[in-house]
Amino acid sequence: MRARVIYNPSSGREQLKKAMLDILEILEDAGYEASAFPTKPEPNSAANEARRAAIAGFDLIVAAGGDGTVNDVINGIADLEKRPKIGIIPAGTTNDYARA
């Protein structure tokens, strides 16, 4: 099983970036071959990576960041017929979605 963490390196006052090794280790301990992708400033960076990972056959995509990162990841895979499981690590300043 493969997992891809798509994360916003600026989220949570950049604390998420520091926790990434621990996050990957937790996924590995759960049986996933885990890797991470830091989003870029370009538009649709998270959406494009989520789509690419889903098409490549990843079993799990974890959106780590704020509401924008979660939204982009979901939009990146929404129209695919076969979609991976989604996980969310709320690490933004507001996290309306995670709080709801």
Side-chain angles (χ1 to χ4, degrees):
M1 295 187 309
R2 295 186 302 158
R4 183 69 153 175
V5 179
I6 299 173
Y7 72 100
N8 181 341
S10 299
S11 286
R13 296 183 187 91
E14 300 188 5
Q15 294 301 309
L16 183 59
K17 195 168 30 176
K18 295 175 184 173
M20 193 51 55
L21 289 177
D22 292 333
I23 293 167
L24 294 174
E25 184 177 345
I26 290 167
L27 289 167
E28 293 274 341
D29 289 346
Y32 289 96
E33 179 184 321
S35 58
F37 175 85
T39 58
K40 312 286 189 253
E42 295 90 40
N44 302 315
S45 174
N48 292 339
E49 178 57 19
R51 182 175 201 78
R52 188 206 65 75
I55 291 169
F58 279 74
D59 303 288
L60 172 67
I61 295 176
V62 178
D67 294 330
T69 304
V70 173
N71 183 61
D72 288 349
V73 167
I74 298 298
N75 284 332
I77 65 168
D79 67 343
L80 296 177
E81 190 170 314
K82 183 176 181 334
R83 295 181 296 270
K85 293 177 185 174
I86 293 291
I88 298 171
I89 298 174
T93 45
T94 308
N95 293 312
D96 285 332
Y97 178 79
R99 200 168 300 147

